[in-house]
Amino acid sequence: MTEQTPPNEAGTGPDLDTTGEDEVRSRQRRKLRDRMGDVGLIATMAFATIVAVGAVLAWAFFTGDNNKSSLTSGSSAPTTKTVDVSLGEFWVKPATLNVAKNTTLVLNVTNNGSQAHDLKIGTKQTPTLKPGEKFTLKTTAIQATVQGFCTLPGHRAAGMVMDINVQGASDGSGAGHGGQASGSGIGSKIDPSDATLDPSAKPAAGFKAADPTLKPVPGGTVHDVTFDVIDKEIEIAPGVKQMIWTFNGTVPGPVLHGHVGDVFNVKLVNKGTIGHSIDFHASQTSMDQDMRTIQPGESLMYSFKAEHSGIWMYHCGTAPVLHHIANGMYGAVVIDPADGLAPVNHEYVMVQSEFYFGPQGKEADLNKALLGFQDAVTFNGYFNQYVFDPLKVKVGDRIRIWVENVGPNEISAFHVVGTQFDTVFKEGAYILRPNNPEAGGAQVMGLMPAEGGFVEFTVPKKGMYALVTHKFNDASRGAVGHIIAE
Ligand SMILES: [Cu+2]
């Protein structure tokens, strides 16, 4: 077997390099002209010429090398090669195949994973294979390096790829490295077809924000709920729609509300297209039973007794979990203390989460989630929604806001501009209570991913107050809302 040649990165290099060179040159020229006058300018231009000549020579070297590869790879006699291929979470074995040009591959593909997978090479593709299923995939005669991959959402980005490298007939040179993972640098990992946020765009006229009001606990102490997993195209920011994996058709999913000691019977029904599951942080149970992944068409009953008060995250826990959370599979369970909480004028729930846009109308871009490049950060699933449709209160109103930071990656530094919190309850304990002997106040409730709590405050006078995460790169991506006191 011939050795794999290194990836060919010269293809996109020269343009980028010369653009950078132009910028550097003109910047150097400007700077030096300012400092040194005309004599300096002449010297600088001479230097710039040397740099430019160097760049051209470097380009010639790379492109020359590139041409040599393509010129010397000739044609080969048709051959057939049979290979056993294994699929699992999230890999393909073998991950690399080196073949001669004009080879037809006969791949005996077995799904050895615990989820459904497939394998696509060029125009040929296996059916979706359940765990344990096999399929023999015959490719067309391979003419150029190609990347095979699993087409299920997120699986390619999670690592389910097989690089098929064509060896040149006469000298063994590779013809380059295909696929989305080629090249070095972070930019090469982001799909250029991903939707982008326009921070100046406005939603359609008549936009209505999701009502953040916490509904009262339903009657009784046993709460029977059905969560249908539904794939649904949802607008996340003005002009940006994503194919969200939802619980009951919304992102975040429904807020559940009960008291300590209440029982929740949640029937999870998978009406989606891939496997999903649910994990209630408000419960204590083994993950291999209640949190197991169910396939489309299946359902499971997840019952738990709420033992502790607080706001608790729930989310799909099917691998890759990052992708399932990034694509909208989360919500909050609010458990009041057994004896309730003091009355307030307004009680809201804010679920903070990030979105990593895939192409318009498609699922989240897992690569961006892995890199931590969030496109939008929202309260209750829509960019700046309480700026577009503010919360209305009266001067002097006392407000409680429950905040659950579902992440998946970012912290929340929850702050309400113009107020101080006199009450902060976070992760099972009061940090601050009214009339405390220290006369303390708080400005921020800091929440790591999955942490939750509530704050209470009063709006002192007429005007506008803003809820934000004080991590301002995230605030500028949509984690802002307005409260108007009248
Ligand atoms: Cu899921």
Side-chain angles (χ1 to χ4, degrees):
M1 196 179 274
T2 330
E3 255 190 65
Q4 189 186 343
T5 51
N8 177 358
E9 293 174 2
T12 54
D15 284 338
L16 294 175
D17 287 348
T18 47
T19 307
E21 211 69 72
D22 279 338
E23 272 173 26
V24 170
R25 246 183 293 158
S26 63
R27 215 180 305 134
Q28 283 171 334
R29 228 183 280 150
R30 273 198 305 275
K31 223 190 251 170
L32 284 164
R33 195 195 305 141
D34 292 343
R35 282 188 200 156
M36 296 159 64
D38 288 343
V39 178
L41 176 62
I42 292 162
T44 312
M45 285 175 75
F47 168 69
T49 308
I50 293 164
V51 171
V53 169
V56 169
L57 285 173
W59 186 354
F61 176 78
F62 279 114
T63 50
D65 187 52
N66 200 25
N67 288 341
K68 182 169 161 278
S69 303
S70 53
L71 283 173
T72 49
S73 13
S75 60
S76 304
T79 51
T80 299
K81 187 173 177 179
T82 302
V83 181
D84 289 337
V85 176
S86 180
L87 309 177
E89 290 80 47
F90 288 96
W91 42 261
V92 179
K93 287 177 186 165
T96 305
L97 277 179
N98 295 320
V99 300
K101 194 174 175 181
N102 228 351
T103 299
T104 298
L105 287 169
V106 177
L107 303 176
N108 297 316
V109 183
T110 306
N111 180 1
N112 288 311
S114 58
Q115 298 187 18
H117 297 295
D118 66 9
L119 183 66
K120 182 175 186 183
I121 296 162
T123 56
K124 302 291 182 180
Q125 187 175 351
T126 71
T128 301
L129 302 176
K130 289 182 183 150
E133 284 188 343
K134 296 170 191 291
F135 186 85
T136 299
L137 181 72
K138 191 175 175 184
T139 68
T140 55
I142 306 278
Q143 302 301 325
T145 290
V146 63
Q147 187 173 63
F149 58 95
C150 177
T151 70
L152 276 88
H155 291 198
R156 183 183 194 175
M160 292 194 69
V161 296
M162 182 167 73
D163 288 314
I164 301 166
N165 299 312
V166 169
Q167 312 301 133
S170 49
D171 70 351
S173 294
H177 189 276
Q180 62 182 17
S182 69
S184 55
I186 282 161
S188 66
K189 292 189 162 65
I190 292 174
D191 187 341
S193 66
D194 282 349
T196 52
L197 180 77
D198 174 1
S200 66
K202 299 273 182 291
F207 172 83
K208 207 80 195 93
D211 182 3
T213 304
L214 178 65
K215 311 284 178 297
V217 177
T221 56
V222 177
H223 310 293
D224 296 324
V225 188
T226 300
F227 275 10
D228 288 336
V229 176
I230 301 166
D231 298 358
K232 190 173 172 190
E233 193 176 90
I234 294 179
E235 186 170 280
I236 302 303
V240 177
K241 289 182 174 176
Q242 296 281 280
M243 184 55 70
I244 303 292
W245 301 328
T246 71
F247 293 110
N248 284 359
T250 62
V251 59
V255 173
L256 300 184
H257 191 192
H259 287 104
V260 169
D262 287 4
V263 171
F264 291 83
N265 299 314
V266 182
K267 186 182 183 189
L268 181 71
V269 183
N270 188 348
K271 296 181 175 176
T273 47
I274 58 170
H276 295 291
S277 60
I278 196 161
D279 167 357
F280 284 99
H281 291 192
S283 75
Q284 301 192 70
T285 183
S286 64
M287 65 179 285
D288 53 341
Q289 288 301 315
D290 292 330
M291 301 180 200
R292 72 183 184 275
T293 293
I294 57 168
Q295 296 306 318
E298 296 179 347
S299 62
L300 73 76
M301 184 62 80
Y302 189 132
S303 296
F304 66 91
K305 185 173 180 175
E307 292 174 74
H308 298 110
S309 65
I311 182 167
W312 302 89
M313 181 178 179
Y314 68 80
H315 64 92
C316 176
T318 298
V321 181
L322 176 58
H323 200 212
H324 287 247
I325 297 176
N327 206 44
M329 302 197 78
Y330 47 76
V333 179
V334 175
I335 304 297
D336 291 349
D339 53 353
L341 291 165
V344 288
N345 300 101
H346 301 275
E347 187 164 24
Y348 301 127
V349 178
M350 295 289 163
V351 174
Q352 183 183 317
S353 63
E354 305 115 45
F355 289 86
Y356 302 84
F357 296 153
Q360 182 78 350
K362 301 282 191 220
E363 291 87 2
D365 184 333
L366 178 57
N367 273 322
K368 281 197 291 200
L370 285 162
L371 292 164
F373 286 179
Q374 61 276 28
D375 288 292
V377 183
T378 71
F379 292 129
N380 295 338
Y382 194 93
F383 173 86
N384 276 358
Q385 69 175 317
Y386 304 109
V387 174
F388 298 130
D389 184 13
L391 303 170
K392 304 266 174 41
V393 303
K394 292 198 176 66
V395 173
D397 275 356
R398 188 162 175 80
I399 300 167
R400 176 182 299 128
I401 303 183
W402 294 86
V403 186
E404 171 58 45
N405 177 31
V406 300
N409 298 325
E410 292 290 302
I411 62 152
S412 176
F414 189 78
H415 172 67
V416 181
V417 179
T419 73
Q420 291 180 349
F421 308 144
D422 61 30
T423 305
V424 178
F425 174 94
K426 178 178 133 177
E427 289 292 296
Y430 280 95
I431 293 172
L432 186 63
R433 302 190 84 153
N435 308 316
N436 61 88
E438 294 84 9
Q443 59 205 304
V444 157
M445 176 169 64
L447 301 173
M448 300 294 279
E451 283 190 333
F454 69 76
V455 297
E456 292 177 12
F457 58 96
T458 302
V459 287
K461 64 177 198 180
K462 196 169 177 285
M464 199 255 276
Y465 302 82
L467 25 131
V468 297
T469 172
H470 224 280
K471 184 175 184 295
F472 264 94
N473 63 329
D474 290 339
S476 68
R477 291 185 170 97
V480 181
H482 290 167
I483 298 174
I484 309 290
E486 285 157 347

